[in-house]
């Protein structure tokens, strides 16, 4: 079906509803991020990821608990005992233009995800060849064991795209993308809104329950709440945590929260002389009262962090956060040759109130042990690019996991060299690097779990970050909205939402 015909079909459907007196239901969600791009291999920001996951499908995906994978476009699969062969049976699915999803589309999409142009290529290059027995079967081969391979196919970067259209249109395809996910892009007004309409060919029968969904980009958290209270949106993501209790008490509004796979911390550039000293970095961790931060900044909605890793698969429940001990912090600074402390500058995202408040609290706490902290407020993109370039001393940041396997995130925050060189701290530990290579060739189970626990202990002790907290993610919604939730991977599935007015 051509795109023109598809739009005509949508128009006809709308006219038909009007003729019978039916009213199209639109779900309106206020969120704080505008997508950068709808190309799955070109982005890593939340606004892009969350939107892409509403338009495209992957072969498998994390379930709602975040503890295991469930079928997506693949209805079943087998993995060989040696881990070198992964076979998928594809369901009878169609793209939003009515064309069938085939094994050739899968092969094309995974090869594209593994290409040099992909920001996520390292996750898919271990898949070295494909067999396609028929349009509904595909077999992937690996040259050597790579345990995360199957899990990485659930990552947004492995979204299945229509080969013919991407090859024909190139980059222009992503201006009006065609996917097999629950929604179709109707209009994207950058910086303002993403308008979606239901995919009439979506393989999950009866979903989406709503006809349309609008993601409104509202960067200020309090403004999102105002729009919710005024009835201008149905769901407000990430309301200010200090307003949660008040929102819970308001008639007609329901709130929810979850602690996702996220950790907040301060990145420490170990190329800056004082921060290159492990005792200094440990001292900074002892100087921070995490309980006070959680109470004062998160309003109790979070847990203290023991490392830069989210609490997820293979987490060690016995690993404890650095305790608040200013005396020990001073002693370690003295041992490191900084008895009077030192001066440093910290980059902070000016657009997030929680970050601003955390920065002020950290400044006061570090002053108690002689560390004079200068705060530089920057726009989010500027802070990110400056930190990534290594032109910083400290940077207040966080990391989230888009998959349920810890391989992705530990490679990001702790391994050097890797994509981010221990998240731009330039910290390096050879034993951790060795374990990282080993876990990727070790079958899931106790042995692999022990490797992750040792890596996280090394990361904790090496302290290339000041570990802060695992914050809760909250949302507020009108009480007629049913089925909305934020998943542990931080995204949300609007296809599961109904409006019951």
């Amino acid at each position: 079906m051509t795109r023109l015909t598809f739009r005509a079909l949508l128009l006809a459907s709308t006219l038909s509803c009007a003729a019978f007196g039916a009213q199209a239901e639109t779900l309106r969600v206020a969120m704080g991020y505008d997508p950068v791009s709808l190309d799955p291999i070109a982005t890593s920001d939340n606004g892009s990821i969350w939107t892409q996951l509403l338009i495209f499908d992957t072969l498998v995906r994390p379930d709602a608990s975040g503890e295991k994978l469930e079928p997506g476009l693949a209805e079943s699969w087998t993995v060989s005992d040696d881990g070198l062969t992964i076979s998928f049976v594809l369901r009878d699915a169609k793209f939003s233009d009515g064309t069938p999803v085939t094994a050739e589309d899968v092969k094309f999409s995974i090869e594209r995800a593994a290409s040099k142009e992909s920001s996520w290529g390292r996750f898919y290059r271990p898949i070295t060849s494909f067999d396609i027995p028929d349009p509904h079967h595909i077999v992937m081969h690996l040259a050597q064991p790579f345990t995360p391979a199957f899990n990485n196919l659930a990552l947004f970067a492995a979204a299945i795209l229509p080969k013919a259209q991407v090859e024909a249109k190139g980059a222009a395809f992503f201006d009006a993308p065609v996917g097999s996910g629950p929604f179709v892009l109707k209009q994207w007004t950058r910086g303002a809104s993403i308008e979606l309409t239901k995919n009439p060919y979506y393989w999950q029968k009866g979903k989406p329950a709503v006809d349309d969904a609008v993601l409104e980009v509202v960067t200020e958290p309090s403004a999102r709440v105002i729009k919710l209270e005024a009835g201008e949106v149905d769901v407000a993501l990430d309301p200010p945590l200090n307003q949660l209790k008040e929102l819970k008490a308001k008639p007609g509004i329901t709130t929810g929260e979850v602690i996702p796979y996220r950790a907040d911390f301060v990145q420490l550039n170990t190329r800056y002389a004082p921060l290159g000293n492990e005792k200094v970095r440990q001292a900074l961790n002892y100087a921070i009262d995490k309980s006070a931060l959680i109470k004062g900044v998160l309003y109790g909605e979070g847990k203290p962090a023991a490392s830069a890793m989210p609490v997820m698969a293979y987490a060690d429940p016995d690993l404890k956060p650095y305790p608040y001990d200013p005396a020990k912090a001073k002693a370690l600074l003295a041992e490191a040759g900084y008895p009077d402390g030192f001066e440093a500058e910290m980059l902070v995202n000016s657009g997030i109130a929680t970050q601003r408040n955390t920065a002020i609290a950290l400044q006061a706490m570090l002053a108690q042990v002689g560390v004079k902290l200068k705060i530089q407020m920057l726009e989010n993109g500027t802070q990110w690019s400056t930190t990534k370039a290594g032109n910083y001393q400290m940077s207040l940041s966080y990391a989230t996991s888009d998959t349920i396997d810890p391989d992705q995130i530990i490679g990001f925050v702790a391994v050097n060299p890797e994509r981010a060189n221990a998240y731009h701290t330039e910290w390096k530990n050879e034993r951790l690097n060795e374990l990282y290579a080993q876990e990727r060739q070790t079958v899931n189970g106790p042995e692999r779990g022990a490797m992750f626990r040792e890596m996280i202990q090394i990361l904790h002790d090496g302290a290339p970050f000041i570990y802060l907290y695992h914050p809760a993610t909250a949302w507020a919604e009108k009480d007629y909205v049913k089925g909305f939730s934020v998943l542990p991977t931080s995204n949300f599935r609007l296809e599961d939402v109904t409006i019951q007015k």
Side-chain angles (χ1 to χ4, degrees):
M1 182 177 292
T2 66
R3 190 165 164 215
L4 178 61
T5 305
F6 175 59
R7 291 191 180 278
L9 176 63
L10 289 175
L11 178 60
S13 175
T14 301
L15 292 173
S16 175
C17 288
F20 286 95
Q23 184 175 0
E25 288 186 324
T26 300
L27 178 68
R28 302 158 301 171
V29 179
M31 68 179 191
Y33 304 98
D34 190 33
V36 172
S37 168
L38 296 182
D39 185 347
I41 70 168
T43 49
S44 59
D45 62 290
N46 282 336
S48 297
I49 294 169
W50 297 346
T51 306
Q52 290 165 19
L53 290 173
L54 296 172
I55 298 172
F56 303 115
D57 258 329
T58 48
L59 290 171
V60 291
R61 66 181 191 176
D63 71 356
S65 72
E67 296 177 357
K68 61 182 180 179
L69 297 178
E70 65 183 15
L73 282 176
E75 61 182 13
S76 63
W77 55 84
T78 57
V79 181
S80 63
D81 291 340
D82 60 10
L84 297 180
T85 303
I86 310 174
S87 303
F88 291 98
V89 178
L90 305 182
R91 66 177 73 251
D92 186 14
K94 294 180 179 180
F95 291 108
S96 59
D97 64 351
T99 58
V101 178
T102 70
E104 285 291 347
D105 296 310
V106 173
K107 178 177 181 289
F108 167 79
S109 301
I110 303 306
E111 288 181 333
R112 186 173 185 273
S115 68
K116 292 181 180 179
E117 291 72 31
S118 173
S119 299
W120 303 90
R122 66 199 183 283
F123 288 165
Y124 305 102
R125 290 180 192 129
I127 300 172
T128 53
S129 64
F130 300 82
D131 291 329
I132 300 179
D134 62 65
H136 282 86
H137 291 79
I138 186 166
V139 182
M140 303 181 186
H141 300 284
L142 289 77
Q144 60 185 23
F146 184 68
T147 304
F150 179 69
N151 180 78
N152 289 347
L153 293 170
L155 190 65
F156 62 91
I160 306 307
L161 313 174
K163 175 184 177 182
Q165 292 207 38
V166 177
E167 288 184 334
K169 298 178 181 178
F173 170 84
F174 298 100
D175 294 331
V178 172
S180 59
F183 291 93
V184 184
L185 179 67
K186 188 191 310 186
Q187 183 172 328
W188 178 12
T189 305
R190 289 183 180 270
S193 65
I194 302 99
E195 297 178 44
L196 306 168
T197 192
K198 70 190 300 181
N199 175 4
Y201 298 103
Y202 187 46
W203 55 268
Q204 289 201 62
K205 301 303 180 186
K207 295 184 179 181
V210 297
D211 299 292
D212 300 287
V214 178
L215 304 177
E216 292 196 21
V217 179
V218 184
T219 56
E220 177 54 47
S222 294
R224 295 197 288 272
V225 171
I226 291 171
K227 290 180 78 70
L228 178 72
E229 293 175 331
E232 296 176 14
V233 297
D234 306 302
V235 180
L237 298 177
D238 296 313
L241 293 174
N242 64 339
Q243 295 184 29
L244 267 187
K245 186 178 294 186
E246 180 183 347
L247 281 169
K248 289 177 183 178
K250 289 193 173 182
I253 291 178
T254 303
T255 63
E257 57 191 82
V258 65
I259 294 183
Y261 296 153
R262 169 172 169 158
D264 284 48
F265 42 72
V266 179
Q267 295 163 271
L268 303 176
N269 188 344
T270 60
R271 290 183 174 178
Y272 174 55
L275 302 179
N277 190 305
E278 183 175 284
K279 289 183 177 180
V280 168
R281 300 194 301 269
Q282 291 175 343
L284 298 178
N285 275 279
Y286 282 113
I288 303 305
D289 187 343
K290 297 178 179 62
S291 296
L293 275 180
I294 292 169
K295 182 179 180 180
V297 175
L298 301 183
Y299 299 89
E301 306 294 341
K303 296 180 179 179
S307 81
M309 287 290 291
V311 179
M312 57 190 307
Y314 300 133
D316 184 356
D318 295 326
L319 181 64
K320 304 300 181 187
Y322 280 86
Y324 178 48
D325 192 339
K328 186 162 188 174
K330 290 180 179 179
L332 284 169
L333 286 171
E335 289 177 31
Y338 298 93
D340 300 320
F342 59 92
E343 296 182 1
E345 182 178 77
M346 183 170 70
L347 310 185
V348 178
N349 183 344
S350 61
I352 300 178
T354 301
Q355 299 282 73
R356 298 193 300 266
N357 294 337
T358 295
I360 293 169
L362 292 177
Q363 185 181 52
M365 292 175 186
L366 291 175
Q368 297 300 310
V369 298
V371 176
K372 301 175 184 65
L373 191 62
K374 178 183 177 182
I375 296 172
Q376 184 176 5
M377 297 286 183
L378 297 174
E379 179 271 331
N380 178 56
T382 304
Q383 183 203 11
W384 168 249
S385 60
T386 304
T387 303
K388 186 176 180 180
N391 299 323
Y392 79 104
Q393 295 170 356
M394 299 185 187
S395 187
L396 182 57
S397 189
Y398 68 94
T400 59
S401 180
D402 302 299
T403 70
I404 64 174
D405 188 288
D407 173 85
Q408 176 211 356
I409 192 68
I410 201 162
F412 188 59
V413 301
V415 180
N416 183 6
E418 242 296 325
R419 176 192 174 207
N421 292 345
Y423 206 3
H424 314 301
T425 65
E426 299 300 334
W427 175 77
K428 188 174 185 178
N429 183 281
E430 294 296 350
R431 173 58 180 165
L432 190 148
N433 288 353
E434 177 186 329
L435 287 165
Y436 179 64
Q438 290 177 7
E439 65 83 3
R440 304 187 118 195
Q441 299 187 24
T442 304
V443 175
N444 274 321
E447 184 181 359
R448 188 168 184 248
M451 292 176 183
F452 277 112
R453 287 190 289 274
E454 184 178 348
M455 281 189 280
I456 295 170
Q457 182 70 61
I458 293 170
L459 179 64
H460 169 90
D461 296 343
F465 307 87
I466 303 175
Y467 308 119
L468 303 177
Y469 43 68
H470 304 293
T473 289
W475 66 92
E477 62 194 7
K478 293 292 189 178
D479 58 10
Y480 54 73
V481 174
K482 308 297 181 184
F484 180 88
S485 66
V486 174
L487 304 179
T489 44
S490 296
N491 62 300
F492 41 85
R493 293 177 181 160
L494 299 186
E495 65 268 29
D496 295 333
V497 179
T498 60
I499 295 176
Q500 299 177 15
K501 291 186 178 179

